[in-house]
Amino acid sequence: MREIVNLQVGQCGNQIGSKFWEIISKEHGINESGKYTGDSDIQLDRIDVFYTEVAGDRYVPRSVLIDLEPGVMDCIKGGPYGNLFKPDNYVFGQNGAGNNWAKG
C-alpha cells in the first residue's frame, strides 16, 4: 500500500494545493465535508493513498498546510473545502516574510 503526504508551503503552494484537493476530492467522490458521496466502488479502491479515514465515515486529506502568515490559511478555511482539513494540519506564524530585508 502506498501513502502520500502532501506539503503545501507558502501562498502559491497553498493555493495550488487547495485546488489539487478540490480536484482529487471530486475524482474520489468526496464532498466538501469529507463524506463519500460517489457512485462507484472504483472511487474508494485507492482512497487511502491520499486520505485518512476518521470517525464518522469521514475522509481527511493527508496534507500539511504551511505558511508564515495566516491570511492564505484563512481563505482556505473559509472556502468550500475548508472543512475538509483537520485544524491541526494548519501550521502558520503571525508575521509574514514581507520586508525581511529591512529587519536584518
Side-chain angles (χ1 to χ4, degrees):
M1 176 173 63
R2 187 181 322 188
E3 293 181 352
I4 294 175
V5 176
N6 179 49
L7 297 176
Q8 300 174 198
V9 181
Q11 179 177 357
C12 182
N14 281 301
Q15 289 173 339
I16 291 172
S18 65
K19 190 64 173 178
F20 168 80
W21 286 111
E22 182 179 333
I23 292 169
I24 291 293
S25 295
K26 288 179 182 176
E27 285 181 3
H28 285 281
I30 303 297
N31 68 8
E32 292 88 356
S33 62
K35 298 277 187 177
Y36 174 71
T37 58
D39 54 4
S40 173
D41 291 338
I42 295 174
Q43 292 174 315
L44 290 174
D45 189 33
R46 302 267 184 213
I47 198 162
D48 56 342
V49 172
F50 292 106
Y51 294 90
T52 300
E53 188 172 5
V54 296
D57 295 328
R58 189 170 167 260
Y59 292 94
V60 176
R62 199 173 294 113
S63 181
V64 180
L65 294 80
I66 304 166
D67 202 348
L68 290 176
E69 59 183 355
V72 176
M73 303 291 184
D74 292 339
C75 291
I76 293 172
K77 287 179 190 177
Y81 284 85
N83 293 330
L84 192 63
F85 301 97
K86 292 192 299 186
D88 57 342
N89 287 12
Y90 293 98
V91 179
F92 56 88
Q94 297 303 315
N95 297 325
N99 292 326
N100 271 352
W101 59 273
K103 295 179 184 176

